Each structure stands twice: as structure tokens, then as C-alpha cells.
Amino acid sequence: MTDKISTSEAHSIGATVLLSSEDREKLLHDFNKTGWDYQQGETLVSLFRKQAALHPDHIAVVYQDQKLSYRELDQRSNQIANALTAEGIKEGMYVPVWLSRSVEWAVAVLGIVKTGAAYVPVDPAYPAKRVEYILSDTSAKVIITNNTFGTYFSEKENIKVIDLSHLENTDHFSSQPLDIKIHQDSLAYTIYTSGSTGKPKGVMVTHRAIQHLVTWHNHYFHVDHTSKLSLVAGLAFDISVWETWSALSSAATLLLQKTRKEQMFLLW
């Protein structure tokens, strides 16, 4: 077939792939500048604390008529961190969070990573058996939930329930920061797969990995303290991590939007 292509046709086809020296430079070099100078040693906690110190009165999280400034989010999450360490939670452990979308959810996940432990988001719509499996697989000692979900664990002596139905529930704990160094290679969170091909599996992600992602994202899209970002992904879906920490590592305002699935679950 190629033998039948005329000289003019061949010339035309070849011409379409010719590039000017300027375009060639862009294609081979400019478009392939994928290197990135990440700050060594930074974690989700250190990035958040820097922004909380720079913009303490800026609004960090909004859910319906509730809002928390960076100062308030820092102090409230310190209370959660202190509550967890009082229960023996430390680096290398897992703390499931079984909460609906709320400012309490944001306080919980930040408080967990401040202890060096990894948070495990649990979808509010998960059946109890699936939650039970996650607790068993992570060997969880503590779960953060609300008084609705918490009743399921009332008779289970091997799990400590921290009721975060209201932020005031942790008022008796100190709001001072923990004197703990978080390592870049410590796990930040674990999210479980759907289990459609068998049992759900926990996908473990370190501070280093997610810090690299959100640092690049915020630089590329010019995210800073003037930005407003929405958390629309399911709380047990990996994209929620990107949405959450892109905001909290840049002093942006995180707007928590209730999904249709969550609305239907609450109505049910």
C-alpha cells in the first residue's frame, strides 16, 4: 500500500511531523521538566503548622454553618492528639475515623496524624461487618466516631470509642501540641479498596508521598491562603486526601460538600 503513495503525498505526510527548532526544544525539554525540588523533611503536620502560624485567623474548614479558623483547627486537633496518646496511640498504629462529612472529621484526621499514627477513613455508609473487618485488619485500639455509630461498639471491650459528635466532647484534653517528631516515611493514612475481587485491602501511603503530591499541586495551580478548595470526593476515596491536604498545607479554605450518596444515607 505504501508503494502507491505518490511523492507529493509522501512529502505532505512527512511535512506534518516536521518541527521548528523552537517547537522541538519545547517538546523535548520544556515539556519534560518533571523534576521537582521538594523540601526534605516536611510532613503533612509540619506543612499545616507553618500555615497555622502564618494565618491563624484565616478560615480553614467550612461545613454548612460551621467553620473553624486555622488556630481553632490546630487547637482542636491537638486535643484529639492528646486524647489519642492517652490511649497509647503512637507511630505505626492505625486509627479508623467513622464520621460523616463535618468539621469534626477534619479535626479527627489532623489530630491522628499529629500522633504519628495513620488515619483510616471509613465511609459512613459502610455496613457494620465491613467496619468490623477494617478494625480487625488494622488491629485498631481506638476508633473516632459519633454517638450514632458508636452505639455499635458499646459492648465491645477491645475497642476504645472516642465520641466526636461535638467538638466540645474533647474540651477536657489539653490543646497544647505534642512533643513528637513526625517522620516523612511514617504512614499518614490507609484507605481500603472496595474488595470487589475478594477481601478489601488497605492501601498505605506515607507523609512523603502525599506531601510531594500536594506541594506540586499547590505550586502548579497557585493555591495559597486566598484559595477556596472543595472536598467533594467520598471520605474513604483516595482523592479526598488530595483535596483535603492541598488546602490544609497552603492555608486555603476547605469547603466540605455533602455528596448525594451521603444525603440519601442520612435520609434513610
Side-chain angles (χ1 to χ4, degrees), residues 159-218:
I159 186 82
K160 169 68 177 179
V161 176
I162 293 181
D163 178 5
L164 200 57
S165 302
H166 306 286
L167 293 175
E168 294 74 20
N169 289 3
T170 58
D171 277 350
H172 56 291
F173 287 100
S174 171
S175 61
Q176 293 301 307
L178 296 175
D179 185 18
I180 293 176
K181 179 175 175 56
I182 310 299
H183 301 94
Q184 264 204 326
D185 293 320
S186 296
L187 291 180
Y189 70 94
T190 295
I191 284 183
Y192 275 77
T193 62
S194 64
S196 56
T197 59
K199 289 185 177 180
K201 296 178 178 62
V203 179
M204 301 175 286
V205 181
T206 64
H207 282 263
R208 184 193 302 272
I210 188 62
Q211 184 263 105
H212 283 191
L213 173 63
V214 299
T215 301
W216 167 84
H217 173 271
N218 292 346

Side-chain angles (χ1 to χ4, degrees), residues 93-114:
M93 301 179 77
Y94 303 88
V95 180
V97 182
W98 196 13
L99 288 170
S100 300
R101 200 173 300 256
S102 58
V103 295
E104 287 82 6
W105 180 87
V107 168
V109 298
L110 180 55
I112 292 167
V113 295
K114 282 182 174 182

Side-chain angles (χ1 to χ4, degrees), residues 45-188:
V45 175
S46 64
L47 290 175
F48 169 80
R49 282 180 171 155
K50 285 182 178 179
Q51 298 305 328
L54 289 170
H55 307 281
D57 297 318
H58 191 68
I59 299 302
V61 183
V62 176
Y63 177 72
Q64 296 183 343
D65 60 346
Q66 293 178 289
K67 60 180 65 175
L68 291 176
S69 68
Y70 269 84
R71 177 187 288 109
E72 291 169 326
L73 179 57
D74 189 29
Q75 293 174 342
R76 289 294 185 183
S77 59
N78 285 343
Q79 291 176 322
I80 290 294
N82 280 293
L84 290 171
T85 54
E87 297 297 332
I89 298 300
K90 58 185 178 181
E91 182 178 345
M93 301 179 77
Y94 303 88
V95 180
V97 182
W98 196 13
L99 288 170
S100 300
R101 200 173 300 256
S102 58
V103 295
E104 287 82 6
W105 180 87
V107 168
V109 298
L110 180 55
I112 292 167
V113 295
K114 282 182 174 182
T115 69
Y119 71 93
V120 185
V122 179
D123 194 302
Y126 281 174
K129 285 292 184 184
R130 179 164 180 145
V131 179
E132 215 170 48
Y133 172 80
I134 292 174
L135 293 176
S136 173
D137 195 53
T138 58
S139 300
K141 307 293 185 186
V142 177
I143 184 169
I144 299 179
T145 186
N146 56 32
N147 53 15
T148 301
F149 299 142
T151 56
Y152 174 77
F153 304 100
S154 59
E155 297 180 359
K156 293 183 178 294
E157 297 180 359
N158 59 338
I159 186 82
K160 169 68 177 179
V161 176
I162 293 181
D163 178 5
L164 200 57
S165 302
H166 306 286
L167 293 175
E168 294 74 20
N169 289 3
T170 58
D171 277 350
H172 56 291
F173 287 100
S174 171
S175 61
Q176 293 301 307
L178 296 175
D179 185 18
I180 293 176
K181 179 175 175 56
I182 310 299
H183 301 94
Q184 264 204 326
D185 293 320
S186 296
L187 291 180

